[in-house]
Amino acid sequence: MPVFLLHTEVASPGQLEAACNGAQARGTHLQKLIFPSACTQACQAATARCDSSQLCHAAGNHVIFRTLLSITLFAPVSATLTSSWTSFPAAAQGQDRDWGEMTEVKREIFGHMPQEDGGGEVEKFVLQSDSVRVEVLSLGCIITALETRDRAKQFADIVLGFDKLEGYTRKHPFFGAVVGRVANRIAKGKFTMDGKEYQLFLNNGPNSLHGGARGFDKVLWSPQILPNGVCFYRLSPDGEEGYPGELKVWVTYTLNGSELAINYRAQTSKKTPISLTNHAYFNLAGQGSPDIYDHEISIAADSYLPVDDTKIPTGEVAAVQGTGFDLRQPVQLGKHLKQFHLDGFDHNFCLPLGQARRLVARAHHPPSGRTMEVHTTQPGLQFYTGNNLDGSLKGKGAAIYPKHSAFCLETQNWPDAVNKPHFPSPLLLPGEEYNHTTWLCFGTA
């Protein structure tokens, strides 16, 4: 059920109680409110009648409206009551990082889909704080640009991509896109569930990859602007790309200071596998830089999944200790690949299980000072070093993207989990909700 969020400034307990009652009268509920101490008692009384009330408490002389999706800091308490209503689904709770810093959200037209792809307008959404600028498309929820500052406070775009829509409508290696219904590979594009075999489209040799021929990355999503981000929604029909069940999906990007949060939610009408991730390609030296060999990488995983010649996990959960996959301490990527005679990484690292947010990876580019931390609730992290980039694509600013010119840190479920019962289950049942969040935290060191 949609949650209607009330953005309001209040000057008295009476106004606050009226606002809360107004929300209740519309058959909705308020997630969480923090209001001035003068309004605390009335707020508690009013929200006690709401479906999902939580304790209100003092917040000095500012009105703060906090939801499970975002933090919004309003102006000092005014003498007049103003309100506006926005409808979008509730999302996973984020973290309170740099929330004194405001986020600006803009939208503009990026282009139009070709008629052979169904047509339709593609919008671009720009999220900007003092320290980070992100551009996201309504096509595939694609991150087309992500600018962060270096040690000298200079901005650079650190993700690979294209200047124009045409680059994204042609074949490309999932630059910046949300992939699904199931990210990563499913062996032979087959799985059996409740005695029935399902056959998916084969688009990666003998396997199905990232949702099939026309996955979530290749379709238009419906956007809803938020105070500090954008929420995208789509309905994946029953049988789309061979997957069972009608699937409602929400992907929400929110920017708070130097932290970009990506929340994924889904609900299904039938049992179905699901695993969603974002496939951004990073180079902290700036997109278009020739390689990532001078980057330092660490991943907080004690085990990883060995794979066969087609990149399908063998089923073994192997310890990283004493191998080239031990990234628990930072390694310089170029030296590490040479030391262990590795052609690159394209492997799942097994993270501690649980729904709590945890730090799972860190990237550092010493020459610029840029850092990126990855926090997530997901059980797996696919570390990919752009092994298949070959310089054939012309990227932003006519940049060429050769092998090892970017890396991906894709938080997701383990690959081929639907065919391996001892892996974390990717199955979603009717009445349940898929809900995972990944946070990308940018800084300098």
Side-chain angles (χ1 to χ4, degrees):
M1 165 181 170
V3 177
F4 287 79
L5 306 183
L6 175 64
H7 303 166
T8 184
E9 297 178 7
V10 295
S12 69
Q15 288 181 342
L16 175 58
E17 185 169 7
C20 291
N21 289 340
Q24 180 68 6
R26 288 171 172 81
T28 61
H29 62 270
L30 303 179
Q31 296 280 349
K32 188 168 185 178
L33 297 170
I34 307 176
F35 279 96
S37 55
C39 300
T40 299
Q41 187 174 3
C43 181
Q44 290 174 355
T47 56
R49 294 191 289 273
C50 295
D51 298 334
S52 184
S53 61
Q54 299 185 41
L55 184 65
C56 306
H57 58 270
N61 66 339
H62 283 71
V63 175
I64 301 173
F65 185 90
R66 178 176 177 177
T67 75
L68 294 183
L69 182 63
S70 62
I71 306 259
T72 303
L73 180 64
F74 287 85
V77 178
S78 65
T80 58
L81 175 67
T82 61
S83 63
S84 61
W85 295 90
T86 308
S87 175
F88 57 88
Q93 184 168 354
Q95 299 292 314
D96 305 355
R97 295 174 61 94
D98 298 327
W99 51 276
E101 185 178 328
M102 298 297 291
T103 298
E104 183 181 17
V105 181
K106 298 179 181 178
R107 72 193 301 173
E108 58 188 72
I109 304 302
F110 189 68
H112 291 81
M113 292 293 290
Q115 288 303 315
E116 57 267 28
D117 292 329
E121 187 175 80
V122 179
E123 291 187 281
K124 180 173 74 176
F125 297 84
V126 181
L127 319 181
Q128 185 164 355
S129 68
D130 289 343
S131 52
V132 176
R133 184 178 185 273
V134 188
E135 298 180 2
V136 190
L137 299 184
S138 57
L139 171 65
C141 306
I142 293 171
I143 296 176
T144 60
L146 202 167
E147 298 178 11
T148 68
R149 293 186 295 198
D150 64 9
R151 195 183 293 111
K153 308 297 184 184
Q154 298 300 306
F155 280 91
D157 185 358
I158 61 170
V159 295
L160 276 55
F162 304 103
D163 289 319
K164 297 182 179 180
L165 178 61
E166 288 74 19
Y168 296 105
T169 58
R170 301 182 185 128
K171 185 177 180 180
H172 67 95
F174 305 96
F175 283 154
V178 166
V179 293
R181 179 173 306 194
V182 175
N184 219 308
R185 295 171 178 88
I186 294 179
K188 300 178 181 177
K190 292 182 180 180
F191 63 91
T192 300
M193 195 169 59
D194 297 333
K196 180 179 179 180
E197 183 177 273
Y198 294 86
Q199 178 64 60
L200 311 173
F201 186 83
L202 304 181
N203 62 332
N204 185 245
N207 306 315
S208 180
L209 174 69
H210 294 330
R214 194 169 186 265
F216 289 2
D217 60 298
K218 296 178 179 65
V219 297
L220 289 176
W221 295 62
S222 300
Q224 172 68 60
I225 286 184
L226 310 179
N228 62 342
V230 59
C231 178
F232 296 101
Y233 168 80
R234 80 172 299 250
L235 180 66
S236 175
D238 185 5
E240 184 175 54
E241 293 297 317
Y243 288 98
E246 183 181 79
L247 190 73
K248 297 177 180 179
V249 191
W250 298 266
V251 175
T252 304
Y253 293 88
T254 50
L255 179 63
N256 287 298
S258 60
E259 179 180 272
L260 176 65
I262 311 174
N263 174 256
Y264 309 89
R265 289 180 58 245
Q267 300 165 357
T268 185
S269 64
K270 299 178 183 177
K271 184 192 294 186
T272 188
I274 180 172
S275 176
L276 303 178
T277 193
N278 181 280
H279 209 303
Y281 286 69
F282 297 95
N283 187 318
L284 299 185
Q287 71 89 27
S289 299
D291 61 63
I292 50 172
Y293 298 141
D294 57 356
H295 285 55
E296 295 175 351
I297 299 289
S298 59
I299 298 177
D302 295 329
S303 56
Y304 78 103
L305 300 181
V307 295
D308 64 19
D309 291 341
T310 68
K311 305 298 183 185
I312 292 294
T314 62
E316 178 188 5
V317 180
V320 301
Q321 181 73 37
T323 75
F325 295 89
D326 191 347
L327 305 178
R328 291 174 293 183
Q329 296 298 319
V331 302
Q332 188 181 73
L333 198 53
K335 291 180 179 179
H336 189 80
L337 293 177
K338 287 181 180 179
Q339 178 184 350
F340 289 94
H341 307 287
L342 298 171
D343 186 53
F345 290 93
D346 192 4
H347 296 79
N348 177 82
F349 287 78
C350 306
L351 306 176
L353 300 181
Q355 285 289 315
R357 170 178 172 158
R358 57 215 184 276
L359 172 63
V360 298
R362 187 176 188 268
H364 178 215
H365 181 244
S368 69
R370 287 190 183 88
T371 63
M372 181 178 76
E373 290 182 352
V374 181
H375 302 241
T376 193
T377 61
Q378 291 273 22
L381 178 72
Q382 187 82 7
F383 179 38
Y384 175 54
T385 50
N387 311 328
N388 297 321
L389 297 175
D390 59 9
S392 61
L393 294 173
K394 183 179 289 187
K396 290 178 284 189
I400 301 300
Y401 301 138
K403 182 178 181 177
H404 295 165
S405 61
F407 65 91
C408 304
L409 291 168
E410 307 161 53
T411 56
Q412 57 190 252
N413 202 355
W414 299 7
D416 200 34
V418 71
N419 289 313
K420 294 183 169 56
H422 59 295
F423 284 8
S425 175
L427 299 180
L428 180 67
L429 303 179
E432 297 179 344
E433 181 172 84
Y434 177 92
N435 193 332
H436 282 287
T437 305
T438 293
W439 297 264
L440 304 177
C441 306
F442 302 97
T444 56

